[in-house]
Amino acid sequence: MKKLISATLAASLALSLAACGSSASTDSVAASSEAASTESTAASSAAAESTAETGELAGTTLKVAASPTPHAEILNAAKDILAEQGIDLEVIEFAEYVQPNLVTESGEVDANYFQHKPYLDGFNVKQGTHLVSVGPVHYEPLGIYPGKSSDLENIADGATISIPSDTTNEARALQLLATQGLITVRDDAGLTATINDITENPHNIKFEEIEAAQLPRTVQDVDFAVINGNYALAAGFSVKNDALATEDASSEAAQTYANILAVKEGRENDPAIQALYAALTSDKVKDYINSTYDGAVVPIF
């Protein structure tokens, strides 16, 4: 919260500014005093409002379900910001993706942070839950990594590229390759694209569809590999230094698959939830993400 100038300081400042001009008239001094009084009243009112808001949040405990990395770590980086407002943040870690949504729906936790909106929407349909997004926080970009070759601009005819085999990440991989001019994908394919939607392949690229977690192991056998940021980081790759190209924050994939803070419908505008989201999208958390994850996790705010 912005610190408010105290009423006394505001009044003193106004009076001292008036006294600086020795030729100031009585009317001028009176006007300055009146302005100081008005400013003092406004400052007192704003301070009272701020105190009331802080008072409402003081003593609040927020329980948030999250996957261990990077979500729980990012939440912990926001704890001090919330503590300044009297909010105690309790992070509860889950190693899978079903329970975090179920305990948010039941009210056992106040929010969760581990998923993107397409997953949330699909979960609501399948499970009959009523969860909504408060807003996006970060995305984990796919990158093109060198294998036997490292020059995308002079890619060899018949080069082999390994890509994720699941529908979502395969489409993202193909769209990333398309932005590099290596292939052309059917215009309306979007994030459902498969290799069958490739309309132009001037370099006669051969694609190997591999389970996403296994892609880092393929780099010695292919010319290039398109790898998810989290798997690249786990395999010891530097996303910033090793990737030849990555998804841009403004890309459809980044915007669509950004990881979100989610709550049960009706709670998205709760003051404490909004305070949590503000903390997660603060400069402090942005700096933490940028300095910790080497480009494998990127702020979307």
Side-chain angles (χ1 to χ4, degrees), residues 24 27-28 52-53 65 69 95 172 193 272:
D27 288 344
S28 175
E53 182 181 347
T69 302
R172 292 173 65 184

Side-chain angles (χ1 to χ4, degrees), residues 28-300:
S28 175
V29 174
S32 298
S33 298
E34 182 178 352
S37 177
T38 301
E39 186 175 348
S40 173
T41 301
S44 297
S45 176
E49 183 179 345
S50 176
T51 301
E53 182 181 347
T54 302
E56 290 176 1
L57 298 178
T60 299
T61 296
L62 280 178
K63 295 182 179 181
V64 182
S67 56
T69 302
H71 306 83
E73 296 165 348
I74 294 172
L75 283 163
N76 284 324
K79 272 190 174 182
D80 289 345
I81 299 173
L82 294 168
E84 291 173 0
Q85 302 170 64
I87 300 172
D88 178 33
L89 177 61
E90 183 179 340
V91 181
I92 303 170
E93 297 184 9
F94 289 85
E96 47 82 42
Y97 292 164
V98 175
Q99 286 302 313
N101 276 336
L102 294 181
V103 294
T104 305
E105 174 75 12
S106 69
E108 294 174 60
V109 301
D110 300 287
N112 68 56
Y113 173 40
F114 74 96
Q115 65 193 321
H116 50 60
K117 193 169 184 300
Y119 179 84
L120 174 68
D121 292 342
F123 191 94
N124 279 334
V125 171
K126 291 179 182 178
Q127 300 289 339
T129 47
H130 309 82
L131 305 175
V132 296
S133 170
V134 178
V137 180
H138 80 268
Y139 76 103
E140 298 168 14
L142 266 68
I144 304 173
Y145 291 83
K148 294 186 292 185
S149 305
S150 59
D151 188 353
L152 278 177
E153 292 185 2
N154 296 296
I155 187 171
D157 188 68
T160 302
I161 300 180
S162 59
I163 60 175
S165 59
D166 62 284
T167 303
T168 295
N169 287 312
E170 178 169 308
R172 292 173 65 184
L174 294 175
Q175 295 294 358
L176 176 58
L177 292 168
T179 64
Q180 302 304 306
L182 300 178
I183 58 174
T184 301
V185 177
R186 185 167 54 83
D187 287 342
D188 59 351
L191 293 175
T192 62
T194 70
I195 56 176
N196 295 324
D197 294 302
I198 297 174
T199 57
E200 295 182 24
N201 185 4
H203 305 289
N204 298 306
I205 295 170
K206 299 175 183 176
F207 294 97
E208 291 191 5
E209 298 166 288
I210 307 292
E211 197 276 319
Q214 303 304 318
L215 282 164
R217 299 180 182 180
T218 69
V219 293
Q220 295 179 347
D221 302 317
V222 297
D223 292 284
F224 303 95
V226 184
I227 307 174
N228 297 71
N230 56 323
Y231 294 132
L233 191 65
F237 294 115
S238 168
V239 180
K240 286 182 180 178
N241 299 323
D242 295 332
L244 302 174
T246 58
E247 291 172 314
D248 187 82
S250 62
S251 68
E252 181 185 8
Q255 295 294 323
T256 301
Y257 294 107
N259 284 211
I260 59 174
L261 178 68
V263 297
K264 188 169 184 178
E265 187 176 10
R267 294 209 59 193
E268 57 268 34
N269 293 316
D270 283 5
I273 295 297
Q274 285 298 312
L276 171 59
Y277 185 64
L280 284 173
T281 54
S282 65
D283 287 342
K284 178 180 178 179
V285 170
K286 178 183 284 188
D287 291 342
Y288 171 81
I289 293 173
N290 287 333
S291 64
T292 302
Y293 298 108
D294 193 36
V297 179
V298 180
I300 200 75

